[in-house]
Amino acid sequence: MRLIDNRDIHDPALNLALEEYALRSLPADKTYLLFYVNEPSIIIGKNQNTMEEINDSYVRSRGIHVVRRLSGGGAVYHDLGNLNFSFITQDDGSSFRNFAKFTRPVIEALRGLGVQAELTGRNDIQVGERKISGNAQFSTKGRMFSHGTLLFDSKMDSIASALRVKPMKIESKSTKSVRARVANISEFLDRPMTIGEFKNELLRALFGCEPEEAPVYPLTERDWEAVRRLADERYRSWDWNYGRSPKSNVQHACKFPAGIVDVRLDVAGGRMTGVKIYGDFFGIADTAELEELLTGVRYEEDAIRKALAEVDLNRYFGSLSADEFAGLLLLRD
């Protein structure tokens, strides 16, 4: 097994691109281990509806990255207190969905630190009833990776706020994330350590040597150029992170001074379709004009505000601001 040095990069787009590049482009006769720590970000499962999984206003106000990964499973929150690992190897026909195979060495390393970890359910690592790690996998063309989170010293309040789901606002066929009680590994350690020291302890256990002696795969500058290109083309792409979301139906009504406004729309490919506006408001203009204007607009705040910038909403609803109407369209509390 070779270690991939990610140069202490905390950009989730680059780290996910590095993982994919290693999977598809590095010599296939070897197994690789990648560790990375991301800046505050939400990593969306391949089959999930992004807007269903994130608290959009919280995420935007704090500059939290939102990036879709290749693997399935639920949305997870990353920050500088979360260590992520990825085993990149051949898919021998019996390894995909075999989470025990890939979590076992990590669990053994944790137990060596006094953390009584165990694999539970399909793909979680827990200490007692508390989850410290979630895992997912991806396979293509005889290669696969099995990756997971290790909550070391993450901000639990941020996890709860960033991933807050708003039930009753979306009906979707996408995968629902499982919200389990979570804990930081640091709570279970016999002695305090930094996340860097924790990573080194894992390296010692996984490679059986000092971290600086672990065999490293030498990435070239050409490799890094390809990684950066992949990050830009896929993992920084709105079409990948939002537009790939499964089709969903949004229905949201609110009572304003002008009356009740009830918005119903489909979201397909990350864009609004089938927009319908109902209510008991009194307007001069026909809301069909507004429905047509919004059809095809990206389902995100900036795009909606841009579409409404020159619209006099009072003509349609009476006294109603752009902020109020945008908040109605989006999934806000």
Side-chain angles (χ1 to χ4, degrees), residues 276-330:
K276 292 295 180 183
I277 302 170
Y278 304 96
D280 62 0
F281 48 85
F282 297 100
I284 299 172
D286 189 345
T287 55
E289 299 171 359
L290 189 56
E291 293 168 353
E292 183 178 357
L293 175 70
L294 292 170
T295 298
V297 173
R298 285 182 176 183
Y299 191 55
E300 62 174 3
E301 185 167 352
D302 289 345
I304 289 172
R305 286 185 175 278
K306 183 177 180 180
L308 296 174
E310 303 300 325
V311 176
D312 181 4
L313 293 175
N314 293 332
R315 296 180 63 248
Y316 298 99
F317 304 108
S319 179
L320 186 67
S321 70
D323 282 342
E324 290 171 327
F325 188 59
L328 185 65
L329 289 169
L330 294 163

Side-chain angles (χ1 to χ4, degrees), residues 98-246:
N98 183 359
F99 289 99
K101 174 180 178 179
F102 297 100
T103 58
R104 186 179 301 113
V106 176
I107 289 172
E108 290 175 355
L110 289 169
R111 289 180 176 174
L113 293 172
V115 180
Q116 299 305 307
E118 60 180 342
L119 180 66
T120 62
R122 180 182 58 171
N123 59 339
D124 293 338
I125 299 176
Q126 292 187 190
V127 178
E129 297 298 318
R130 304 182 72 189
K131 176 178 173 179
I132 59 171
S133 170
N135 293 265
Q137 296 178 340
F138 175 73
S139 175
T140 180
K141 298 180 180 180
R143 298 285 290 167
M144 66 170 287
F145 60 67
S146 186
H147 57 188
T149 60
L150 287 168
L151 291 168
F152 181 76
D153 191 23
S154 286
K155 296 180 179 179
M156 294 302 175
D157 289 344
S158 296
I159 294 175
S161 297
L163 291 174
R164 188 167 58 229
V165 175
K166 304 169 181 64
M168 300 173 61
K169 293 184 179 178
I170 286 187
E171 296 175 0
S172 172
K173 295 182 179 179
S174 60
T175 304
K176 300 289 190 290
S177 290
V178 177
R179 303 302 196 267
R181 287 181 59 193
V182 294
N184 279 315
I185 293 167
S186 58
E187 298 178 35
F188 306 104
L189 294 174
D190 294 333
R191 59 182 176 86
M193 64 177 68
T194 66
I195 194 169
E197 291 169 337
F198 174 63
K199 173 185 172 182
N200 285 337
E201 290 291 346
L202 294 181
L203 287 172
R204 289 186 182 96
L206 294 170
F207 284 95
C209 63
E210 288 302 304
E212 60 272 15
E213 298 171 354
V216 176
Y217 182 84
L219 290 170
T220 66
E221 187 53 38
R222 185 176 180 180
D223 290 325
W224 278 106
E225 288 176 4
V227 169
R228 288 190 286 269
R229 184 164 57 250
L230 179 57
D232 290 339
E233 292 176 354
R234 186 195 298 279
Y235 295 103
R236 301 193 204 282
S237 163
W238 181 90
D239 287 334
W240 171 254
N241 294 325
Y242 286 86
R244 198 182 179 281
S245 295

Side-chain angles (χ1 to χ4, degrees), residues 25-172:
S25 302
L26 296 192
D29 60 340
K30 294 181 174 61
T31 295
Y32 305 92
L33 173 63
L34 170 66
F35 278 118
Y36 57 93
V37 175
N38 284 329
E39 296 169 345
S41 50
I42 297 177
I43 310 300
I44 303 292
K46 179 182 179 181
N47 302 311
Q48 291 190 293
N49 185 307
T50 301
M51 291 301 293
E52 183 178 14
E53 296 299 323
I54 68 174
N55 180 341
D56 186 59
S57 59
Y58 182 90
V59 167
R60 288 172 58 85
S61 68
R62 286 158 178 78
I64 297 172
H65 302 275
V66 177
V67 185
R68 187 185 300 277
R69 63 180 185 266
L70 287 176
S71 61
V76 290
Y77 177 80
H78 289 183
D79 62 16
L80 297 177
N82 180 74
L83 179 65
N84 304 282
F85 65 89
S86 181
F87 291 100
I88 303 163
T89 186
Q90 292 181 344
D91 183 357
D92 57 11
S94 61
S95 294
F96 190 71
R97 298 191 184 91
N98 183 359
F99 289 99
K101 174 180 178 179
F102 297 100
T103 58
R104 186 179 301 113
V106 176
I107 289 172
E108 290 175 355
L110 289 169
R111 289 180 176 174
L113 293 172
V115 180
Q116 299 305 307
E118 60 180 342
L119 180 66
T120 62
R122 180 182 58 171
N123 59 339
D124 293 338
I125 299 176
Q126 292 187 190
V127 178
E129 297 298 318
R130 304 182 72 189
K131 176 178 173 179
I132 59 171
S133 170
N135 293 265
Q137 296 178 340
F138 175 73
S139 175
T140 180
K141 298 180 180 180
R143 298 285 290 167
M144 66 170 287
F145 60 67
S146 186
H147 57 188
T149 60
L150 287 168
L151 291 168
F152 181 76
D153 191 23
S154 286
K155 296 180 179 179
M156 294 302 175
D157 289 344
S158 296
I159 294 175
S161 297
L163 291 174
R164 188 167 58 229
V165 175
K166 304 169 181 64
M168 300 173 61
K169 293 184 179 178
I170 286 187
E171 296 175 0
S172 172

